[in-house]
Amino acid sequence: MTLPDIAIFVDCADFSSIRKALALPWTGGFTTNPSLVSQAGVADYTAYARKVLALVPSLPVSFEVLSNTVDGMEREARVIHAWGGNVYVKIPVIDPAGNSMGGLIKKLSREGIPLNVTCVFTPEQAKIAADALDATSPAYVSVFAGRIADVGIDPLPIVEECRDILKRLPKAELIWASTREVYNIWQAADAGCDIITAPLAMVAKLRDAGKDLTELSRDAVNVFMKDIAQAGVTFGSY
Ligand code: E4P
């Protein structure tokens, strides 16, 4: 099956996943976030990032600021930017109190720092990014489609509106983030996203893309039979 025309990034932070992702033919970059970094047991962010970048010297890698203040984010953004030429600095579109980070995004983008404006859930937030990003500076804007879908809201119209808002920025690329199923890759491409970022397990599932449905049906029946036989479940007396 032909894959749609969209770059696939792997959303992970632990070294084992990064190594496995590098062995997959679809991996075009990496995104991390503070939760993934915490789960990976990282203590020293700089030392960790340097090891990641030794493994991934040229594909784009996004590292997020950890501070919750504007000054702290700015300081950290400059440190993260210095880690490597393939690094995108993730700045949340708002701080934990809900204040727009547009001012900081504008300042860093004007300096040419590649940014990944993250945690975008609404077209209004995409507009904050679009108004702040410099037209000549590389940037990603990450719309958390899966978390939108998690609360019963269709992410597609939101993603499409964000795409239209970002159209006027030639160097801004739209990321479908927070991916929940393999089919999101096709949805993201249809919605006009440039990139989708997905967990390793989901990207690895692309091996089965386009598998014959009758074959899948037989696989399902076989697995049910095998599982029940292994467990030794009987109908007992009826
Ligand atoms: C994107 O950059 C984020 O790290 C990620 O996609 C969030 O995904 P989640 O909602 O599965 O945590």
Side-chain angles (χ1 to χ4, degrees):
M1 176 183 246
T2 323
L3 287 181
D5 184 21
I6 186 168
I8 298 172
F9 288 6
V10 181
D11 197 32
C12 66
D14 63 287
F15 290 106
S16 158
S17 297
I18 292 172
R19 283 196 190 91
K20 285 180 186 153
L22 285 169
L24 296 176
W26 307 287
T27 303
F30 290 88
T31 50
T32 65
N33 67 41
S35 297
L36 292 171
V37 166
S38 309
Q39 285 155 23
V42 174
D44 178 334
Y45 200 21
T46 300
Y48 158 78
R50 292 213 186 284
K51 273 200 215 164
V52 171
L53 293 167
L55 280 176
V56 191
S58 52
L59 296 177
V61 185
S62 293
F63 293 107
E64 189 157 340
V65 292
L66 307 180
S67 173
N68 55 14
T69 68
V70 179
D71 289 350
M73 284 189 209
E74 180 175 348
R75 205 171 37 248
E76 291 175 357
R78 293 182 197 290
V79 172
I80 293 171
H81 174 53
W83 287 342
N86 55 330
V87 169
Y88 280 69
V89 181
K90 273 177 117 177
I91 305 278
V93 70
I94 52 169
D95 72 5
N99 302 304
S100 164
M101 291 299 99
L104 176 62
I105 293 164
K106 180 174 266 178
K107 191 171 182 184
L108 297 170
S109 185
R110 269 193 187 160
E111 291 176 27
I113 295 180
L115 299 179
N116 180 341
V117 181
T118 189
C119 297
V120 172
F121 282 70
T122 67
E124 293 71 27
Q125 292 178 334
K127 187 147 188 328
I128 292 177
D131 290 344
L133 288 169
D134 192 284
T136 63
S137 190
Y140 299 146
V141 176
S142 295
V143 179
F144 277 42
R147 293 196 193 201
I148 295 171
D150 285 347
V151 294
I153 296 173
D154 182 358
L156 274 169
I158 296 175
V159 170
E160 284 166 359
E161 212 177 320
C162 294
R163 174 205 61 203
D164 292 345
I165 290 166
L166 292 164
K167 230 179 227 160
R168 62 187 156 92
L169 290 163
K171 298 198 88 176
E173 295 180 272
L174 181 60
I175 299 187
W176 177 299
S178 180
T179 294
R180 294 289 179 264
E181 56 190 4
V182 175
Y183 187 63
N184 291 157
I185 296 173
W186 280 262
Q187 291 178 305
D190 286 347
C193 294
D194 304 285
I195 299 159
I196 182 166
T197 186
L200 173 67
M202 213 170 297
V203 179
K205 274 191 185 174
L206 279 173
R207 288 194 187 103
D208 289 337
K211 204 167 170 182
D212 177 74
L213 297 184
T214 309
E215 200 184 320
L216 279 176
S217 172
R218 229 175 28 232
D219 287 352
V221 173
N222 274 316
V223 168
F224 291 158
M225 298 301 168
K226 199 172 124 236
D227 286 348
I228 213 72
Q230 258 170 14
V233 179
T234 70
F235 267 91
S237 40
Y238 56 89

